[in-house]
Amino acid sequence: MASLTVSGEARVPGDKSISHRALMLSALADGRSTVRGILQSADVHSTAGVLGALGAMMPPLGDETLVVTGRGRRGLRAPSTPLDCGNSGTTTRLMAGVCAGHPFESVFIGDASLSRRPMRRIARPLAEMGAEVTLAGDSLPMSVRGGALRAIDWTSEKASAQIKSAILLAAVVGGVEATVREPERSRDHSERMLRAAGVQVTANGTSVTVAPVESLDPIDIVVPGDPSSAAFFVALAALATNGELRLPAVGLNPTRTGFFDALRRMGAAIRVEDERDEGGEPVATLVASASGTSLRATRAGGAEIPTMIDELPLLACVAARAAGTTEVTGAAELRVKESDRIATVVANLRTLGVEAEELEDGLRVTGSDRPLRGRIVTHGDHRLAMAFGVLGALPGNEITIDDPSCAVVSFPGFWELLSAVAGRSHR
Ligand code: S3P
């Protein structure tokens, strides 16, 4: 088997979830916020574009330090055009919450993938709070006519930070209390950043409550590296045969780190160094060592699924190289991501000759060390392109990706970094 050695450092761009939220809260604060290290990806540009269309003053995202002068808690203005959210579910759902608290109508539109994604999950609680929300079936285009909102105590059927955040943001803008109860805990970046903006946020197990506020304080944020982007390089290092790779300044919020835990169960060695807190989020250097020939299958399910939800396509790709059968369950949400990730991941693994099977709420993948060859159909799904890109970077595999450019949705520069790390280490 051809060997792959990794070495040196790979720096990944800023966290996507935190970047969206930093722009939204800065736009709604009273005064000047500063945001350093924002992710300049297509999805974050969608949020900046939507906020700009609503009258927020958005500086160019290319600035090293963004200084945003907020419009105030209910200071956005009626848009004169539909709000184009591109490929971004987070932009759509969180901004629907923001708009629900404002006294005007907004119409949300998006690309073909976003236009297939379910929106009733946010329309229902926002309507219960008093907004008028109209959908085409369950999907975009979605019109939100906001206004005076009522307090809400909402039990969500899904563990979803987008549903939770839509409700919390609507409550903050509307000046009312909200409680959201989830079956499992989803990522808590909104809660952490709202606290930094002076909101009283009380978390209790899997439920969270925000108290009404008059105004939001400006925030000062350094966006950590995105653990979902770091995951591709941690996986590459784990699949390598020699060496280790350092990833500085990666966000390690425990609601996001399930993939690293799963990879450790598979036999990967991942160290955490220089752990610190930055703006209310844990940040550290990850050091991932090569374990390629000794990875073994694992099982993932239950409460850990939300902590690795975006990494499951990658976990399935790593499983194709691990001894035994990996099984993921309790992950039906994968079917309503940028693509139906259960169907698209399994179909692509099979194209490569990997034994893989769809479950209603997950998948099964049996690993081997035979060379993998074939063309990946991404359906424009950025995480599929990158997950299979990692398999393609392993010596001996010949994998082409139909649309590598879709990586810009979350990780501009991914392919350059991948060839720098894998290329500098081919033996
Ligand atoms: C996100 C939440 C998750 C995740 C998405 C980003 C967020 O979606 O898959 O990539 O920033 O809140 P769900 O909340 O729908 O699970």
Side-chain angles (χ1 to χ4, degrees), residues 257-277:
T257 50
F259 173 76
F260 303 128
D261 298 333
L263 214 49
R264 285 191 183 101
R265 292 202 296 271
M266 297 175 91
I270 306 164
R271 288 198 317 277
V272 174
E273 291 181 1
D274 189 21
E275 215 171 347
R276 57 199 187 273
D277 179 285

Side-chain angles (χ1 to χ4, degrees), residues 127-366:
E128 171 134 336
M129 294 177 85
E132 259 176 57
V133 186
T134 317
L135 289 170
D138 187 11
S139 323
L140 300 185
M142 168 173 64
S143 116
V144 178
R145 180 179 290 282
L149 298 183
R150 297 183 281 275
I152 188 171
D153 186 332
W154 188 256
T155 300
S156 175
E157 287 161 17
K158 331 232 174 249
S160 159
Q162 293 182 357
I163 300 174
K164 174 175 65 178
S165 303
I167 299 168
L168 299 184
L169 288 171
V172 165
V173 175
V176 296
E177 183 175 300
T179 296
V180 183
R181 302 170 199 277
E182 299 187 282
E184 285 116 20
R185 189 148 171 251
S186 64
R187 64 189 66 187
D188 66 352
H189 304 299
S190 297
E191 293 92 307
R192 289 171 187 253
M193 213 181 288
L194 283 169
R195 278 193 196 104
V199 181
Q200 191 190 317
V201 182
T202 318
N204 185 359
T206 58
S207 78
V208 60
T209 300
V210 292
V213 281
E214 282 300 320
S215 61
L216 292 170
D217 300 337
I219 52 176
D220 183 0
I221 287 211
V222 181
V223 180
D226 196 323
S228 298
S229 298
F232 298 110
F233 289 91
V234 171
L236 180 72
L239 289 163
T241 35
N242 302 292
E244 63 175 32
L245 187 66
R246 300 178 67 82
L247 294 107
V250 177
L252 287 187
N253 180 315
T255 61
R256 297 286 302 281
T257 50
F259 173 76
F260 303 128
D261 298 333
L263 214 49
R264 285 191 183 101
R265 292 202 296 271
M266 297 175 91
I270 306 164
R271 288 198 317 277
V272 174
E273 291 181 1
D274 189 21
E275 215 171 347
R276 57 199 187 273
D277 179 285
E278 271 181 18
E281 293 277 351
V283 177
T285 297
L286 286 180
V287 186
S289 303
S291 333
T293 50
S294 58
L295 292 181
R296 52 190 181 271
T298 189
R299 279 168 185 267
E304 70 175 343
I305 291 298
T307 70
M308 58 170 82
I309 188 72
D310 293 336
E311 289 68 72
L312 289 171
L314 179 61
L315 186 69
C317 286
V318 175
R321 276 288 176 255
T325 300
T326 292
E327 185 177 273
V328 176
T329 53
E333 275 295 293
L334 286 179
R335 295 212 179 264
V336 292
K337 294 294 178 188
E338 286 84 330
S339 66
D340 173 347
R341 287 182 175 160
I342 295 178
T344 54
V345 166
V346 167
N348 279 303
L349 284 171
R350 285 190 179 156
T351 298
L352 299 180
V354 177
E355 208 183 298
E357 176 188 350
E358 282 191 41
L359 306 175
E360 208 176 308
D361 65 343
L363 41 78
R364 260 189 220 119
V365 180
T366 301

